[in-house]
Amino acid sequence: MRQALRELHQRHLGETTGALADYIPELAKGDPDRFGIAVATAGGDLFQTGDCLAEFTIQSVSKAFAYCVALELLGREAVLERIGVEPSGDAFNAIVFDPRTNRPFNPMVNAGAITVAGMLHERLGDDAFPTLLARMSAAAGRPLAVDEAVYRSETETGHRNRAIGHLLRNCGAISGPVDTILDIYFRQCSMLVTAVDLAWMGATLAHIGEHPATGEQVFELGAVRDTLAVMFTCGMYDYSGGWAFKVGIPAKSGVGGGIVGVVNRQLGIGTFSPRIDALGNSARGLRVFEDLANDFGLHTFECLNQGSLFVSSMLQRERA
Ligand code: GLN
């Protein structure tokens, strides 16, 4: 695995398509060349290559974990009543709601994620963000912090999200003060993580909610299953269909350049490369995941799943 990651890193080092997100001004100040790949196993091993300890803001990757916490705290029926589980086929920041139900299409687009923040606020009040931070830190296996500059930058410029928040308030999807709810959402998006953190966070989901190295049970079983299902169908914005077809594992991307992928019961994969494509996904991250899935047979519906066997046999050999 170590060797495979090194080769993969080498193979895609020259891939420079895409550009830094600049609609949040502070994100445009990042180093576009950063590139890290990390893989954590459900058995607690970690493999990494490149800029794996470089910090970046988690952005939309946080939506998957916030959804998982909401499912646990509020119950799937209550969450489902307000947020759908259908791919939207629209951009992550689209101002659209499911015309049949008036709900946000799913929790992985901004409208759904802001509704999640609203529901957490209803349940937890001022503890909503500290709870999210604590859970996501436990999933990463280390205390995470907020990038104050990115948080401020998005707060100052996030008028589109503010508009979405007011529409949600108007139709009763959220009931608390819009600014307070957006503050939770902007903070959760500004948490600093590394590719290694994403790999562990993915491995925690892969390991049905238990962090494979710390042993902490971070998320509840049923919530993990539901979260992975939505990551599988909606995690990559309007590239989710292409991703399910080509890569075939639950995943979530963010405009900060991170992607987390989950090979159920086996692996968490984290990539970081901040040049993003027109749909908001890390361009280099997509290539890396495609190759990893092909080389190791990670696709959920890979008939022999030989690659996965290969991974576990490699690990066994290494331990022997
Ligand atoms: N904070 C960002 C936003 O709301 C997250 C978007 C993303 O990563 N796709 O615009």
Side-chain angles (χ1 to χ4, degrees):
M1 178 59 88
R2 210 164 279 130
Q3 177 71 14
L5 292 190
R6 259 200 303 270
E7 279 169 21
L8 206 55
H9 189 267
Q10 218 35 51
R11 198 184 309 159
H12 294 289
L13 204 54
E15 158 76 85
T16 55
T17 56
L20 290 176
D22 57 5
Y23 75 98
I24 300 173
E26 196 63 27
L27 287 184
K29 295 183 185 165
D31 175 356
D33 292 324
R34 288 267 163 91
F35 181 27
I37 312 170
V39 174
T41 73
D45 292 293
L46 177 72
F47 304 93
Q48 50 178 305
T49 188
D51 299 315
C52 273
L53 298 178
E55 290 192 316
F56 55 94
T57 52
I58 188 164
Q59 298 299 341
S60 283
V61 178
S62 65
K63 291 169 178 167
F65 298 93
Y67 183 57
C68 195
V69 172
L71 285 168
E72 182 181 328
L73 294 181
L74 294 130
R76 87 197 289 239
E77 289 315 315
V79 175
L80 207 51
E81 235 167 65
R82 290 208 224 163
I83 310 160
V85 290
E86 299 299 338
S88 69
D90 283 301
F92 64 87
N93 58 2
I95 304 189
V96 284
F97 301 93
D98 188 330
R100 293 162 307 163
T101 59
N102 258 334
R103 294 176 307 189
F105 274 95
N106 66 69
M108 304 297 158
V109 291
N110 291 12
I114 294 167
T115 306
V116 166
M119 294 185 80
L120 290 174
H121 180 258
E122 269 173 38
R123 171 54 61 100
L124 300 168
D126 289 347
D127 283 338
F129 179 71
T131 300
L132 265 184
L133 183 64
R135 288 297 192 89
M136 289 168 64
S137 297
R142 73 170 184 115
L144 301 177
V146 167
D147 184 322
E148 292 295 331
V150 172
Y151 159 70
R152 270 198 309 276
S153 184
E154 189 167 5
T155 303
E156 280 158 17
T157 58
H159 303 300
R160 193 178 178 92
N161 284 325
R162 214 160 270 127
I164 292 173
H166 282 284
L167 284 172
L168 290 168
R169 178 78 165 83
N170 178 62
C171 70
I174 58 176
S175 60
V178 175
D179 283 338
T180 309
I181 291 165
L182 282 166
D183 196 66
I184 297 168
Y185 173 73
F186 290 148
R187 277 182 195 280
Q188 91 180 42
C189 287
S190 304
M191 280 185 213
L192 284 165
V193 290
T194 67
V196 165
D197 291 329
L198 290 186
W200 282 125
M201 292 168 90
T204 298
L205 292 178
H207 200 38
I208 35 181
E210 181 188 316
H211 190 294
T214 67
E216 184 173 350
Q217 187 70 40
V218 184
F219 302 117
E220 187 258 333
L221 300 187
V224 169
R225 192 197 70 165
D226 293 344
T227 301
L228 290 176
V230 179
M231 287 168 73
F232 193 78
T233 50
C234 310
M236 303 300 286
Y237 315 125
D238 42 342
Y239 183 60
S240 297
W243 176 273
F245 191 78
K246 283 194 181 165
V247 181
I249 64 172
K252 186 72 204 87
S253 61
V255 292
I259 303 180
V260 66
V262 180
V263 183
N264 202 26
R265 310 302 290 272
Q266 297 176 68
L267 305 174
I269 304 167
T271 60
F272 171 46
S273 174
R275 287 197 189 88
I276 59 173
D277 65 14
L279 299 179
N281 296 314
S282 164
R284 199 149 47 178
L286 291 185
R287 301 282 93 77
V288 168
F289 267 93
E290 271 176 27
D291 282 4
L292 260 179
N294 280 329
D295 295 352
F296 289 93
L298 302 179
H299 194 293
T300 303
F301 306 119
E302 176 75 44
C303 62
L304 296 175
N305 212 358
Q306 276 176 339
S308 313
L309 293 174
F310 176 62
V311 173
S312 43
S313 65
M314 289 246 304
L315 290 175
Q316 266 161 14
R317 230 184 309 151
E318 196 164 22
R319 284 215 188 87

